[in-house]
Amino acid sequence: MSDNNKLMTGILILAAGVIILLGKWGVFSFLGKALWPLILLIPGILLHIWVISRRASAELLLPAGILVIYSILFFIGIIGGWTFLFYRLWPAFILGIAVGLFEYYAYSPQRQSGMLLMAIVLAAVSIFLLGWSLFAFSFVYLLAIVMIAAGIWLIVNRGNSRRIW
């Protein structure tokens, strides 16, 4: 065996041993649990690159936009917890469809009249529902404070004979 072959064989055996050791320590299972949304992000980015380089048609931007937004949401789910994602951020899944529709409308050679309107409506609905789900807890407190203030004002001014309403 030549010295070059011994070097390559040694490197391969060393790499295999390191991979086996890291696998036994659970490194790959951690990476699999933490980085699995890359399975969605990488194809989404590749589809964008293919369309921008004019190797594919603009129709691929619809799934590309959805894949990128959903992978970002899944990364947020991994970092912030799945309960937060599905309890508070669920309207952002609608936003993924809106982004895909808007990208398709923007890069399509023949503009379809209802595409932009549908993307804007879906984005507006998604943003409204996202704001509602994120700030609904605060809104309840604000509503309670306004109702308490109105009740106190009515109780304090009950003896006045002048009409305000």
Side-chain angles (χ1 to χ4, degrees):
M1 193 183 268
S2 70
D3 286 340
N4 199 15
N5 285 342
K6 286 181 183 179
L7 176 67
M8 287 303 290
T9 305
I11 290 174
L12 287 174
I13 291 172
L14 176 70
V18 168
I19 289 172
I20 290 170
L21 186 62
L22 290 176
K24 291 304 278 179
W25 287 343
V27 171
F28 297 120
S29 66
F30 169 74
L31 291 177
K33 290 177 185 174
L35 299 178
W36 68 266
L38 288 175
I39 295 171
L40 299 177
L41 183 64
I42 292 171
I45 291 173
L46 287 175
L47 289 173
H48 278 98
I49 291 171
W50 285 343
V51 171
I52 291 171
S53 66
R54 306 223 186 266
R55 293 184 183 167
S57 64
E59 286 87 13
L60 289 179
L61 286 175
L62 180 62
I66 293 171
L67 286 173
V68 169
I69 297 297
Y70 284 11
S71 66
I72 291 169
L73 286 173
F74 292 143
F75 274 121
I76 292 171
I78 290 170
I79 294 168
W82 295 104
T83 304
F84 176 73
L85 175 69
F86 290 115
Y87 184 67
R88 296 283 185 201
L89 296 181
W90 63 268
F93 287 103
I94 300 170
L95 187 63
I97 298 169
V99 167
L101 283 172
F102 179 75
E103 287 179 343
Y104 173 59
Y105 171 80
Y107 281 95
S108 179
Q110 45 196 336
R111 304 273 168 103
Q112 297 177 5
S113 61
M115 189 74 63
L116 180 63
L117 178 64
M118 183 57 68
I120 291 172
V121 167
L122 282 175
V125 166
S126 173
I127 291 170
F128 173 76
L129 290 174
L130 191 61
W132 184 267
S133 92
L134 287 175
F135 302 114
F137 190 68
S138 300
F139 178 75
V140 170
Y141 280 117
L142 178 66
L143 180 65
I145 290 170
V146 168
M147 290 177 74
I148 290 169
I152 291 172
W153 183 77
L154 286 172
I155 291 170
V156 168
N157 290 323
R158 72 179 186 278
N160 292 347
S161 61
R162 60 182 185 167
R163 292 207 161 220
I164 295 177
W165 293 335

